[in-house]
Amino acid sequence: MIEIEGGSVTSPRGYRAAGVTCGIKPSGSRDLSLTVSDRPAAGAAVYTTNRVQGAPIPVCREHLADGRARAVIINSGVANVCNGDRGRADAVRMCEATAQRLGLSTRDVLVCSTGLIGVPLPMERIEEGIPRVVAGLSGEGGVEAAEAMMTTDTVAKHAAVRVDLDGHPATVGAVAKGAAMISPNMATMLALITTDAAVPAVRLQQLLVRAVGRSFNCCTVDGDMSTSDTVIALANGAAMGGVGGSRGLSEEAFERLAEAMEHVCRRMARAIAADGEGASKLITVRVLRGRSEAEARAVGLAVANSSLVKTAVFGNDPNWGRILCAVGYAGADLDPAAVAVSLCGRPVYGGGAGIDFDAAALSAAMKSEEVDIEIDLKAGEARAEIFTCDLTCEYVRLNAEYTT
Amino acid sequence: MIEIEGGSVTSPRGYRAAGVTCGIKPSGSRDLSLTVSDRPAAGAAVYTTNRVQGAPIPVCREHLADGRARAVIINSGVANVCNGDRGRADAVRMCEATAQRLGLSTRDVLVCSTGLIGVPLPMERIEEGIPRVVAGLSGEGGVEAAEAMMTTDTVAKHAAVRVDLDGHPATVGAVAKGAAMISPNMATMLALITTDAAVPAVRLQQLLVRAVGRSFNCCTVDGDMSTSDTVIALANGAAMGGVGGSRGLSEEAFERLAEAMEHVCRRMARAIAADGEGASKLITVRVLRGRSEAEARAVGLAVANSSLVKTAVFGNDPNWGRILCAVGYAGADLDPAAVAVSLCGRPVYGGGAGIDFDAAALSAAMKSEEVDIEIDLKAGEARAEIFTCDLTCEYVRLNAEYTT
């Protein structure tokens, strides 16, 4: 697997993208994003499990019922949530207008929205922007498309890798946004994965679910799961001469593709956590030797969601007691005397008690943009890696500020 | 039910208490607390479900195996967690030393500790203090006993109510501590309930579990459940002439007693939330018409634990979108179009969309020490009331500060 520097959704063959300003966001930054496959593609998606769902989500579900998609239109600035029938009609209209300009059927277009809740989409601006974003499509447009998805992210998030599948070089690319928010926007995590590998829709869904489980579902800024989180994957077979190919991929190739998808998704999840609102540090919580992946994840998420751990990291406090406490309430059936905890590579707890360490030196080591916490459960062979960020005064400030 | 002003664990008949300084806490404030029943009593307890548990907890479980207890010795400053065999021996020794001074058997004494994790108890100071706290026992000592439990609480927490049980006036009293913490202390929630009603141990346990479920388990400051949370109840029958009484209480009397216990526990839970570290406001999340109490609690806790909701309250931001988002990820199978949300008594969301309201007026109403959020699920008859506090810069500051 080789990382492609500056890679994105347009790195795989047969994809074009663009991002334009259509005036949804008062800042004037890009707010309309489009990614298109030049040939039919298999499509898959994973959505938020929040019972309150943005209008785009049921539309995506319907359009992906046949496992095919060719374009994804995304706007930022307004999330199209809690807009009733009008919201649904607007989501459909976005697909329709995009399809018309591309000469596709409406069912081949997927839609996502991120931003304010409870405000309707400014459809006249979106309809004015769609012809322009179609006209702007290019094979280098992936980064622009990533920028147009941003709400209060401070950096565009994109990546791509090249991998060999049964002798064919194939590419997996991704763009994502999420985790930075200001009042009153709602954080939404969106990601789009593209590949030129040939993958049947059912397999693509399986690969996506697995990749999401080990990336976006292992990423938490403040524990809130929004109304609109969506991850979409498209596979157009351009690396192999057609969707489905002549024989289909070998199991070994599927495994390599799975790893490639997981890799780009984890790159995106890590970038989202590092860009968390007010964050000064990326925190990686590694859990080793759990009895199951689910248990390892639960332990990691408990530590990553703990306000006490996150503030301690912010304050460069090597407080293993708070980490251990979070491990203890994760719900895993573990033996506290077996658990070992390391902080920035230094053992701090094990054998049921604290381990002597140079607190001043460890505190100094924590004054880094990346802090690692490692928890060895010594109970099995499963692992998990969770990304989060510290909890800072800036987070509170950003999320408490309100102007009428 | 009548509230007793300034009531505490010494309000019921037959209880004495005291709190002294023995030098565990550097501040010199009281740090050794004792409550004693002058006659045998039924005992019950509920403990943290954290897999990492303080040494006192298994000792309490063993001593309560027979459903009887007569004294509770509590120290603050050191939690006696992660001290291995020495921690256990120290917890037993605290019970033993107290029993010897009171002329009781060690098994009749329960122990709790709160404070630093990973530091052993300074037993010489505790053993020096025990005779003094025994000597200080009085029928007015409940508030002192509450003070001696405090770690970084800013106020002592205590309450009592009088209730009629089958023609006998009986009293239920409580003391509690919790939810304020500074680095590197661990928050511990402790509470002790005393009553002069006659209740068999098995019934007392049932009443306690129910009361805790509707109070302390409906109270969250930052979502972390400590290693040492414990709630103990004693019932000595002094209002009825002996443990178990001649006939036992009627079902109607048990129900009244249950309500009285729930009332004082909720008073304590509310006080703990209001005293949350850095808190400027108490937030009460009322959930109505859930399909079950468990569902109503889950929805309330999701809202109460949401950093986005808590920072919005801090910032006087009438952001119903964040409240609705938290309701949506609580895991309850609800219909977003049926849900209604009110903030400080004003409807802000219903029928699937926001409801017009005067944002400036509502923001002004939120500038209060108490903010109410009400969520009507319109799905059943169950309710829950959750207490929490806002998330402020002061919380971050308190929990991030670290000195070697």
Side-chain angles (χ1 to χ4, degrees), chain A residues 348-367:
Chain A
V348 290
Y349 170 85
I355 291 169
D356 279 343
F357 60 90
D358 182 338
L362 182 46
S363 181
M366 292 176 74
K367 291 177 187 169

Side-chain angles (χ1 to χ4, degrees), chain A residues 125-149:
Chain A
R125 299 185 190 219
I126 291 174
E127 297 219 44
E128 184 278 331
I130 283 173
R132 289 192 289 108
V133 76
V134 169
L137 290 172
S138 88
E140 284 79 43
V143 176
E144 212 176 81
E147 288 170 7
M149 290 160 67

Side-chain angles (χ1 to χ4, degrees), chain A residues 49-53 81-84 117-118 181-187 222-227 277 305-309 311-312 314-329 331-334 336 349 352-354 357 359-360 363 391-402 404, chain B residues 49-53 81-84 117-118 181-187 222-227 277 305-309 311-312 314-329 331-334 336 349 352-354 357 359-360 363 391-402 404:
Chain A
T49 54
N50 196 313
R51 292 302 196 288
V52 178
Q53 300 206 329
V81 176
C82 292
N83 289 325
I117 281 185
M181 71 198 103
I182 53 174
S183 178
N185 283 351
M186 181 60 56
D222 55 19
D224 278 42
M225 171 175 54
S226 93
T227 54
E277 59 280 13
N305 279 320
S306 163
S307 294
L308 291 172
V309 171
T311 47
F314 175 48
N316 306 306
D317 174 0
N319 194 318
W320 60 264
R322 292 184 184 185
I323 297 170
L324 186 68
C325 182
V327 169
Y329 65 64
D333 192 11
L334 48 85
Y349 170 85
F357 60 90
S363 181
L391 174 57
T392 67
C393 290
E394 186 64 4
Y395 172 93
V396 176
R397 200 190 63 75
L398 284 169
N399 284 299
E401 68 180 5
Y402 174 65
T404 8
Chain B
T49 54
N50 196 313
R51 292 303 197 289
V52 178
Q53 301 205 329
V81 176
C82 293
N83 289 325
I117 280 185
M181 71 200 103
I182 53 174
S183 177
N185 283 351
M186 180 62 55
D222 55 16
D224 279 43
M225 170 175 53
S226 94
T227 55
E277 59 280 13
N305 278 321
S306 163
S307 294
L308 290 171
V309 170
T311 46
F314 175 48
N316 305 306
D317 174 2
N319 194 319
W320 59 264
R322 293 183 183 185
I323 297 169
L324 186 68
C325 181
V327 169
Y329 65 65
D333 192 13
L334 50 84
Y349 171 87
F357 60 89
S363 180
L391 174 56
T392 67
C393 290
E394 186 63 6
Y395 172 93
V396 176
R397 199 191 64 74
L398 283 170
N399 285 297
E401 67 181 5
Y402 174 65
T404 9

Side-chain angles (χ1 to χ4, degrees), chain A residues 62-374:
Chain A
E62 290 165 28
H63 290 189
L64 276 175
D66 62 358
R68 336 267 319 133
R70 270 186 72 170
V72 185
I73 182 81
I74 301 175
N75 76 280
S76 52
V78 172
N80 196 9
V81 176
C82 292
N83 289 325
D85 292 339
R86 175 178 180 175
R88 180 186 164 83
D90 287 348
V92 172
R93 179 63 198 147
M94 281 180 69
C95 296
E96 201 172 67
T98 305
Q100 282 164 359
R101 276 287 163 172
L102 291 170
L104 301 175
S105 83
T106 303
R107 295 186 59 79
D108 280 336
V109 182
L110 306 178
V111 55
C112 302
S113 299
T114 176
L116 293 172
I117 281 185
V119 170
L121 290 172
M123 286 306 289
E124 60 299 336
R125 299 185 190 219
I126 291 174
E127 297 219 44
E128 184 278 331
I130 283 173
R132 289 192 289 108
V133 76
V134 169
L137 290 172
S138 88
E140 284 79 43
V143 176
E144 212 176 81
E147 288 170 7
M149 290 160 67
M150 291 165 58
T151 44
T152 49
D153 307 58
T154 66
V155 294
K157 302 166 177 76
H158 53 91
V161 294
R162 182 156 294 128
V163 65
D164 183 287
L165 304 180
D166 296 334
H168 297 277
T171 305
V172 180
V175 292
K177 63 82 55 180
M181 71 198 103
I182 53 174
S183 178
N185 283 351
M186 181 60 56
T188 299
M189 198 281 296
L190 293 180
L192 171 58
I193 323 294
T194 55
T195 182
D196 46 20
V199 190
V202 171
R203 287 310 294 265
L204 185 63
Q205 184 75 31
Q206 292 169 353
L207 294 175
L208 183 62
V209 167
R210 172 176 149 179
V212 168
R214 294 179 177 171
S215 59
F216 301 112
N217 287 351
C218 290
C219 166
T220 174
V221 170
D222 55 19
D224 278 42
M225 171 175 54
S226 93
T227 54
S228 309
D229 294 349
T230 303
V231 183
I232 291 168
L234 299 179
N236 70 3
M240 281 124 186
V243 175
S246 51
R247 266 203 251 349
L249 295 175
S250 66
E251 278 314 302
E252 195 224 353
F254 269 120
E255 191 53 37
R256 286 188 175 204
L257 181 60
E259 288 167 6
M261 284 178 68
E262 194 177 314
H263 182 93
V264 296
C265 285
R266 288 172 60 69
R267 279 282 309 273
M268 295 296 92
R270 193 176 187 279
I272 286 171
D275 200 24
E277 59 280 13
S280 71
K281 309 178 187 200
L282 169 73
I283 301 172
T284 303
V285 182
R286 255 176 226 99
V287 183
L288 311 174
R289 300 204 275 177
R291 290 183 308 169
S292 66
E293 204 171 314
E295 177 177 276
R297 264 190 76 237
V299 170
L301 282 170
V303 174
N305 279 320
S306 163
S307 294
L308 291 172
V309 171
K310 287 152 68 77
T311 47
V313 173
F314 175 48
N316 306 306
D317 174 0
N319 194 318
W320 60 264
R322 292 184 184 185
I323 297 170
L324 186 68
C325 182
V327 169
Y329 65 64
D333 192 11
L334 48 85
D335 175 7
V339 173
V341 178
S342 294
L343 183 50
C344 295
R346 295 157 173 75
V348 290
Y349 170 85
I355 291 169
D356 279 343
F357 60 90
D358 182 338
L362 182 46
S363 181
M366 292 176 74
K367 291 177 187 169
S368 159
E369 288 189 345
E370 297 193 23
V371 169
D372 288 355
I373 298 173
E374 192 176 276

